[in-house]
Amino acid sequence: SMTLQEPSEFLPRLCEIFNECGVAFVLLPALKNCGINGVVKWYDDKVVLALNDRFKYADAFWFSLFHEIKHIFQKKKTKVIINCNNDFSELDEAFEKEADAFATETLIPKGDYSSYFDGKGIYISKCDVERFAKHIGVHPGIVVGRLQHDKRIAHSSMTDMRQKYRIII
């Protein structure tokens, strides 16, 4: 449900949740030409989850967040894990795909997504997106991002429904 809120509303609560779990949550500015969205790093028994503002869209923010959360659950304390837009060089591909699958399923459950959109054929309307997003309780822009990623709609389609965040770091 936080995906329906503005960053000024959800960030304080997100920080509280991470703090209660012993995770230091950090937002950083993106480094030019770096290609990194997030990282998880352990220091002894403490963990840092850092995200940057490289992608301004809400769907990319939430996907990256849940991707990195999965890395925390994987408890791979011997590696620095970096989300590099599916560039798995020198990282365990299965490990990264598992984190992607977790983020995908957490935001939009596969069963709901399939049962709703598989019967739609090639035409998916904004109304379809809004109805489905309301049904699963996420911002419609998250659904649009998923449909674009899955090539169910063109990357230029429905971009007005994707929410841009302005996160002050």
Side-chain angles (χ1 to χ4, degrees), residues 109-120 132 135:
K110 184 179 182 179
D112 291 339
Y113 179 78
S114 295
S115 65
Y116 190 84
F117 288 108
D118 285 353
K120 295 290 178 194
F132 178 69
H135 171 72

Side-chain angles (χ1 to χ4, degrees), residues 24 42 84 89 102 106 108 121-122 132-133 145 149-150 152-153 156:
W42 278 266
C84 296
S89 57
F102 175 80
T106 300
I108 302 175
I122 56 173
F132 178 69
H149 178 269
D150 291 350
R152 302 282 308 259
I153 62 173
S156 59

